Amino acid sequence: MFAGWGRFVYRFRWATLAASGVLLAISVALLMMGGTLTSGGPLTSNLQSAKAGNLITSELGAAKVTSNFDLIFRSDTLTVSDPQFQAAVIDALAPIQSDSRISKMVTPYNVPEARVAQALTSKDGHEALVSIELNSSGQKAWKDYDALRAEVKSSTLTVTGTGFVAINQAFNKTLESDLQRAEYVTPPVTLILLVLIFATIVAAGLPLGVGILTIVGGIGGTFFLNRFTDVSQYALNIVTLIGLGVSIDYSLFIVNRFRDELARGQSREGALATTMATAGRAITFSGLTVAVGLSAMLFFQGTFMASMGAAGAIVVAVAVLYALTFLPAMLAVIGPGVNRLRIPWFGRAASGGGFWAGLANWVMKRPIVVLIPTVAFLVIAATPFLQLRLANGNVDMLPTHIEARQGYDRLLADFPGQDQTTFNIVVNYPDGSPLTANRIAEQYTLERRIAAIPGVLRTSSIYDVDPKLGLFEYTQLYTGDPNNLPQPVRQLISSSVGKHVVLIQASTNAEISSNAARDIVKSIRADRGVTDGKVLVGGATAIDIDVIQFIYDQVPLAVGTVVLVTYVLLFLLTGSVVLPLKAVVLNFLSIGASFGALVFIFQQGHFANLLGFTPQSLDPSIPVILFSIVFGLSMDYEVLLVSRMHEEYVRLGDNTAAVASGLEKTGRLITGAAAVMFTVFMAFGLAEVVIIKAIGIGLAIAVAIDATIVRSLVVPAVMRLLGDVNWWAPKPLRWLYERIGIGDLGVEPEPMLRRPVVVDVPERAEEVAVGAR
């Protein structure tokens, strides 16, 4: 099938190139049209915290204000109460005081209540907080903030901008600069590596060209996806990260195999047919396994990861498409010219001998000696993962030199109450009014129980109007004629009581994602005192708990599905039921080691100063994203290595010889491909946003471990020990595999009278008559 495709592309090479040109034109058009990417994803609506937030919005009209920003004015010598400080603040705000883009501005000098003014003054009295609400939202709010912030200046006070709009804009700008930095660094370094691998400029340029086409196609496909669903701004980083890596990876194997076949004396058509039947088949299965790995993120609907998984699958599909169409068509046109512009200082590695031949023979001699220490190392490297702590990412993911991050840190540290965590407790009665005598009693006693929970500073609700009032008085007050209520009580009811709900708020000094704050939420949720309604807890800590639990709940199904589908794909590739199982087990070893490194670096803080980040709990999305990508990429190398071993097994008929020959012939290429991948990922490791930095460095470590320790040592050692069992399948499955017909490699077994191949084994150097079984 794949050989036939290679001959088809050769015969219609110009038409294939024209079709590729049309695809490129469509991709560019979609890219130019662009789209509106989101800074996150909608919180899945079945989470308790989401339900609480939705009830607050629908019943109380308390929609979250998202278009606001803060300005912090500071003087080391003057205090907020000094007339000079006040005059300086008023002068600095004068240019925007009457700006139509502002709906509300609150300063310590224009609020009537002294307690509010005190909350807008820092603890040391040297800083004033100004809160500004905008009429605009989204990206328009970002532009308005930029324009307004530029107009606020002071020669007396330092001014720092922060708040929701400023922080979100900072994330967007930093992500854009991270992406640009990776795009600037990756191509030249990748080209150098490809030149080292191929030793010719033409051969090195082809994979890089396919990589650029893939990124354009992937980004265009992502913007097309954005027309039907929300897509996270992180998706573009994933498209570039994965697209460049896998496209160059696949192209490298195609170009190398084509050159090998030409060197064996095949015609262009024959070389292309064999290349597609072997390397083309391998990268098709590899692309499928990578896409299956990325599809794990699709199980997390309601989060930004779902769009990242879809975007990743799109770019992998584009990479495989170009590798099976544009690239072979170009090779058909160029032919032997692929070896032109040779670099004189570098010679192409011989097909036999050298480092990889020596390593292959060494592993074949001592499989147990190789296996025990390498597996022990991987297990030890994975142990930090046992200390994994998850928490939703916050402003700490921004670098400390960003103004919005600096302002946020000062806001928490310097202003009273800003470092407190608030819990929104919604008591919901779907069948009627919440203000009946029995229900009032339930709410009153619930609030008192919440106030008694260790760590809770205070509670507030309609039952805190006057400390002198008790349950009897509140029941009389709220079951009577509402027209008789005092005006302040009416205002409190309008913001705290809906048609079916009552809102109770509690606060603590514990940090949002701390264990202490989580324990308070769990204690409130464990309360069973309300029997006539349902208690829902919202707020940042509740969201933190719910998102983490949601991810934990989805992991078994996501991982199980990915493993099962991957197992089937590997069976279709090899015709074996043993090799897929071996691949999955070794994949988890590789993933575990990379997860351990991630915790060691980003959670425990090793190399934090060197890499420039604030140590913190890992965002729940990071392990999911890392697993999805690493599982797919590990299978990528597994497919490329084992498919060549399978090819050699069909040709040679001996497991030990096939494993040694497969490692010898692919080791250099896999290492080169891994070096390219490592470069691409480390370019993203230079990112300033922690989530991108963690993914980049985590992937770089995973690729380094997988291509060196796992694929070069562990895989061949295990396959040497398993012997012919590697290729075993029950007769019904073997019949099915042969019936499907995609196992044809276009490779014939060697004649029995061929020259013996010498393969070293532990006991002695055996001469294995190739093909003699």
Side-chain angles (χ1 to χ4, degrees), residues 296-462:
M297 288 188 272
L298 297 176
F299 287 86
F300 301 90
Q301 295 294 326
T303 71
F304 70 90
M305 291 182 290
S307 65
M308 292 175 68
I314 287 172
V315 77
V316 171
V318 173
V320 173
L321 181 62
Y322 276 126
L324 294 179
T325 55
F326 171 79
L327 183 58
M330 284 295 296
L331 291 172
V333 172
I334 297 172
V338 72
N339 293 316
R340 288 176 185 165
L341 301 180
R342 180 174 294 279
I343 305 300
W345 300 282
F346 302 101
R348 193 173 175 212
S351 59
F355 171 78
W356 290 104
L359 179 64
N361 282 327
W362 186 76
V363 174
M364 293 301 99
K365 279 175 151 186
R366 308 169 181 85
I368 295 178
V369 172
V370 170
L371 195 60
I372 292 176
T374 50
V375 170
F377 170 78
L378 293 173
V379 171
I380 293 171
T383 53
F385 185 61
L386 298 175
Q387 302 173 34
L388 172 70
R389 188 180 191 278
L390 300 178
N392 284 324
N394 55 27
V395 187
D396 287 347
M397 291 199 296
L398 285 172
T400 55
H401 68 81
I402 300 289
E403 182 185 77
R405 164 73 190 273
Q406 294 173 349
Y408 178 81
D409 290 343
R410 286 170 58 186
L411 192 65
L412 294 186
D414 298 347
F415 288 85
Q418 294 290 341
D419 60 344
Q420 292 180 3
T421 299
T422 300
F423 311 104
N424 297 322
I425 301 101
V426 179
V427 188
N428 182 33
Y429 301 93
D431 60 345
S433 170
L435 296 182
T436 64
N438 289 336
R439 291 174 176 179
I440 287 172
E442 285 187 335
Q443 298 154 24
Y444 179 87
T445 55
L446 172 64
E447 182 183 356
R448 270 51 188 175
R449 290 195 299 273
I450 293 172
I453 294 174
V456 173
L457 292 176
R458 68 185 68 87
T459 58
S460 61
S461 73
I462 58 173

Side-chain angles (χ1 to χ4, degrees), residues 52 148 497 754:
L148 295 168
V497 180
R754 282 278 294 211

